[in-house]
């Protein structure tokens, strides 16, 4: 049996102007490249890390010791600055300018950007006062953003005001290049994404206690009209306080970056040019079992499974022309030039997953679902937008069950037109499920006998765009 444990995610990370001090032991995780204060440390050899974790699969004590050595004491802030814009290409460029502004005025050696995710920012700091000051500064910069953007890029008019929501919690955090894990991350996510209202700051109880003992942090907290509140996470009570973010002391226009200062930040981030619009097959995967596995086996167990999944898919994607856009938590997000390439790669990958799982018990298997779609997407740096991506992500994250691969109607039609696969299918009776975006789904269970029984599902949505056809639903033992 294997043991190693949790949702630590290594992200193909390309973000501008972030600062990140390495907390990893190079002898454990492999090759670490130390970069300047304006870029995170990068672990360059994930295979070495995966092999290192394999040597302690059944040694929980060694895993726990490694986990402890990788933790850092501090606070996590999860800040969302939502830009509501109908034109996705225009929105993507606005996000680029927003990231550049924050990189030039907020992220420092004391306030370190761990990762950006569209308009959401995961930030770590060992200083409660520095993190509080950054939160207030984010609110002020958001207020100034529309007028500033028009001044440096006159083509942008009627710029929407970014909507700010922030959650902060303190504790032991596992920082890795491009991602972070730990109870403070979970709490900050709950506070900033679920509990905070627009324009609101939510502080976890541990951070509030920590800030109360810091003279400068206490000074920053004093004018905030905080209200105590309580909620539950997994049957555990969560005490927190909330306050309205007041954008007092707006930065003077002269203190904001001008065109000359801004240009290098945009260039280094990959946001300088217009987003690239392409017709691509989109692949999204999603793993399951995070909560139960981390509780039962520990953090490094799940980390090892994540790294193994990435190793399997990355090698095959290269063979079939696939391009990994980014790793988002335990998701793999990638594109392919054709639906045929995407399907062939997925089939080969599932064969590898079946082989990997065949000698392992359920808790030690790779358990995941995937989705494939086809359509126009916008690509810029490590970001992707478009209906094809949004639907694939939703199907993988919200609809797929373990071992299922869902495909959209458009993807299905292209495969059937090119490969004439329909004669191989046997369709079961209809079954129903709910799709939160497009209503009720009509599903069918389809089987294909080809080198062993494979399960296939077909699902239809009343919305014409969301006709989902589930294929490659592998019957993994156990």
């Amino acid at each position: 049996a294997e043991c190693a444990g949790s949702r630590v995610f290594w992200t193909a990370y390309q973000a501008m102007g972030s600062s990140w001090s390495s907390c990893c032991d190079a002898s454990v995780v492999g090759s670490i490249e130390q970069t300047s204060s304006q870029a995170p440390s990068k672990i360059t050899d994930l295979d070495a890390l995966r092999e290192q974790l394999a040597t302690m699969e059944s040694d929980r004590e060694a895993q726990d010791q490694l986990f402890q050595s990788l933790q850092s004491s501090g606070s996590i802030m999860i800040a969302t600055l939502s830009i509501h814009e109908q034109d996705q290409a225009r929105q993507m460029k606005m996000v680029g300018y927003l990231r550049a502004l924050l990189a030039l005025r907020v992220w420092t050696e004391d306030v370190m950007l761990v990762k950006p995710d569209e308009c959401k920012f995961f930030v770590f700091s060992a200083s409660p006062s520095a993190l509080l000051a950054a939160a207030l500064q984010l609110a002020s910069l958001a207020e100034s953003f529309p007028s500033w953007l028009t001044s440096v890029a006159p083509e942008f008019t009627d710029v929407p005001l970014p909507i700010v929501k922030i959650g902060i919690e303190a504790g032991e955090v596992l920082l890795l290049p491009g991602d972070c894990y730990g109870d403070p991350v979970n709490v900050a996510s709950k506070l900033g994404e679920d509990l905070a209202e627009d324009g609101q700051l939510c502080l976890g109880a541990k951070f509030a206690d920590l800030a109360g003992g810091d003279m400068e942090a206490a000074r920053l907290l004093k004018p905030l009209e905080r209200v105590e509140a309580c909620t539950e996470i997994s049957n555990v009570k969560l005490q927190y306080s909330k306050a309205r973010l007041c954008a007092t002391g707006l930065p003077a226009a002269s203190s904001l970056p001008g065109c000359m200062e801004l240009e290098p930040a945009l260039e280094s981030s990959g946001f300088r040019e217009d987003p690239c619009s392409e017709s691509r097959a989109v692949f999204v995967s999603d793993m399951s079992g995070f909560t139960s596995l981390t509780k039962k086996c520990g953090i490094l167990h799940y980390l090892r499974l994540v790294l193994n999944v990435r190793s399997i898919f990355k090698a095959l994607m290269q063979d079939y022309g696939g391009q990994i856009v980014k790793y988002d938590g335990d998701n793999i997000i990638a594109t392919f030039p054709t639906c045929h390439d995407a399907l062939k790669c997925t089939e080969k990958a599932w064969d590898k997953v079946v082989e990997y799982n065949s000698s392992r018990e359920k808790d030690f298997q790779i358990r995941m679902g995937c989705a494939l779609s086809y359509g126009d997407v916008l690509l810029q740096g490590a970001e992707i937008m478009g209906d094809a991506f949004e639907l694939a992500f939703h199907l993988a994250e919200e609809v797929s069950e373990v071992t299922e691969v869902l495909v959209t109607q458009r993807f299905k039609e292209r495969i059937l037109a090119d490969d004439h696969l329909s004669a191989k299918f046997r369709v079961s009776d209809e079954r129903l499920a709910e799709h939160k975006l497009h209503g009720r789904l009509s599903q069918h269970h389809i089987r294909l006998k080809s080198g062993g029984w494979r399960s296939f599902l077909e699902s239809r949505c009343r919305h014409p765009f969301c006709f989902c056809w589930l294929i490659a639903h592998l019957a993994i033992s156990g």
Side-chain angles (χ1 to χ4, degrees):
E2 301 174 29
C3 208
S6 174
R7 193 171 190 159
V8 178
F9 305 125
W10 302 76
T11 306
Y13 173 62
Q14 295 177 348
M16 70 187 74
S18 55
S19 301
W20 199 82
S21 298
S22 174
C23 65
C24 301
D25 183 347
S27 66
V28 173
V29 299
S31 176
I32 298 181
E33 176 186 348
Q34 296 292 341
T35 60
S36 71
S37 63
Q38 291 302 302
S41 300
K42 298 177 181 177
I43 296 175
T44 60
D45 192 348
L46 295 181
D47 287 336
L49 171 63
R50 184 165 53 87
E51 292 170 4
Q52 182 70 27
L53 292 176
T55 65
M56 55 181 70
E57 288 179 2
S58 56
D59 189 342
R60 178 62 184 273
E61 182 178 355
Q63 295 171 51
D64 290 344
Q65 290 176 353
L66 175 58
F67 176 63
Q68 291 296 324
S69 72
L70 294 175
Q71 291 187 113
S72 297
S73 295
S75 302
I76 283 288
M77 172 172 69
I78 298 181
T80 303
L81 286 77
S82 302
I83 298 177
H84 299 295
E85 169 61 47
Q86 295 297 319
D87 185 327
Q88 289 185 327
R90 190 168 183 261
Q91 180 187 17
M92 187 172 272
K93 290 206 70 174
M94 288 180 183
V95 170
Y97 279 98
L98 177 64
R99 289 190 183 181
L101 175 61
L102 302 187
L104 293 170
R105 290 296 182 268
V106 181
W107 316 138
T108 67
E109 291 184 357
D110 291 328
V111 181
M112 298 171 283
L113 177 66
V114 179
K115 69 171 180 178
D117 182 10
E118 295 184 5
C119 295
K120 184 164 61 179
F121 303 89
F122 292 70
V123 184
F124 173 82
S125 179
S127 166
S129 60
L131 201 57
L132 267 178
L136 298 175
Q137 190 177 16
L138 286 175
S140 294
L141 290 174
E143 290 284 344
S144 303
F145 180 73
S147 59
W148 169 78
L149 181 56
T150 300
S151 71
V152 295
E155 66 272 22
F156 289 101
T157 58
D158 299 322
V159 178
L161 187 71
I163 305 301
V164 184
K165 298 168 65 174
I166 297 177
I168 304 178
E169 181 59 307
E172 297 297 321
V173 181
L174 181 61
L175 293 174
L176 295 171
D179 223 320
C180 50
Y181 172 82
D183 288 340
V185 181
N186 300 336
V187 173
S189 177
K190 180 71 174 179
L191 295 175
E193 298 180 60
D194 298 334
L195 299 177
E197 299 176 1
D198 292 349
Q200 201 170 64
L201 167 69
C202 289
L203 305 177
K206 290 183 179 179
F207 180 82
D209 290 343
L210 184 66
D214 182 294
M215 186 177 299
E216 177 60 18
R219 185 187 69 80
L220 293 171
L221 282 176
K222 190 173 182 179
L224 298 179
E225 297 180 0
R226 290 188 290 158
V227 177
E228 298 299 320
C230 181
T231 189
E232 283 193 1
I233 300 180
S234 301
N235 298 320
V236 177
K237 284 189 176 182
L238 172 63
Q239 302 285 343
Y240 68 101
S241 59
K242 54 186 178 180
R244 179 62 49 186
L245 278 165
C246 298
T248 56
L250 293 179
S254 59
S255 70
L256 296 175
C259 294
M260 291 188 65
E261 185 182 3
L262 186 63
E263 194 73 19
L266 288 172
E267 191 71 38
S268 64
S269 70
F271 278 85
R272 184 65 189 90
E273 303 299 327
D274 290 338
C276 178
S277 178
E278 298 181 12
S279 294
R280 306 277 292 182
V282 180
F283 169 91
V284 180
S285 68
D286 178 59
M287 293 180 64
S288 68
F290 162 62
T291 302
S292 60
L293 286 177
T294 55
K295 183 177 181 180
K296 185 175 182 179
C297 301
I299 272 185
L300 296 185
H301 177 69
Y302 204 80
L303 170 58
R304 186 179 54 79
L305 294 176
V306 169
L307 293 179
N308 282 327
V309 168
R310 292 181 181 180
S311 176
I312 289 171
F313 278 85
K314 183 178 179 180
L316 289 168
M317 284 178 181
Q318 293 172 346
D319 294 339
Y320 288 93
Q323 177 183 356
I324 294 176
V325 178
K326 61 181 175 180
Y327 298 126
D328 182 13
D330 59 358
N331 303 119
I332 299 173
I333 300 170
T335 64
F336 290 85
T338 69
C339 294
H340 179 88
D341 291 326
L343 184 58
K344 284 294 186 183
C345 178
T346 303
E347 288 180 334
K348 293 290 186 180
W350 278 117
D351 287 340
K352 295 286 187 181
V353 170
V354 171
E355 180 182 355
Y356 179 91
N357 289 344
S358 62
S359 60
R360 291 167 167 85
E361 297 179 1
K362 179 180 177 180
D363 285 345
F364 311 118
Q365 293 176 349
I366 294 172
R367 299 178 63 78
M368 62 189 298
C370 303
L372 294 162
S373 66
Y374 183 83
D376 295 336
V377 293
L378 291 170
L379 295 165
Q380 191 167 46
E383 295 299 335
I384 180 171
M385 288 186 178
D387 288 342
F389 164 67
E390 296 297 336
L391 187 54
F393 191 89
H394 178 78
L395 292 176
E397 185 85 7
E398 304 292 343
V399 182
S400 71
E401 300 292 338
V402 171
T403 73
E404 289 181 346
V405 177
L406 292 71
V407 306
T408 62
Q409 167 67 1
R410 189 173 182 188
F411 188 99
K412 173 190 173 183
E413 289 173 349
R414 295 184 72 88
I415 287 294
L416 294 181
D418 294 341
D419 296 343
H420 306 291
L421 299 178
S422 57
K424 299 180 180 180
F425 299 139
R426 292 189 327 208
V427 185
S428 73
D429 293 335
E430 181 182 63
R431 67 186 204 183
L432 301 176
E434 292 296 322
H435 190 296
K436 73 175 184 180
L437 295 180
H438 302 307
R440 179 162 292 184
L441 295 174
S442 167
Q443 302 180 25
H444 298 272
H445 191 227
I446 304 174
R447 289 186 180 276
L448 168 67
K449 190 173 183 180
S450 176
W453 283 98
R454 308 284 179 91
S455 300
F456 294 79
L457 276 171
E458 182 176 62
S459 63
R460 298 176 182 174
C461 175
R462 291 177 181 176
H463 189 286
F465 180 63
C466 187
F467 181 124
C468 307
W469 183 50
L470 294 154
I471 70 169
H473 175 257
L474 304 180
I476 296 179
S477 58

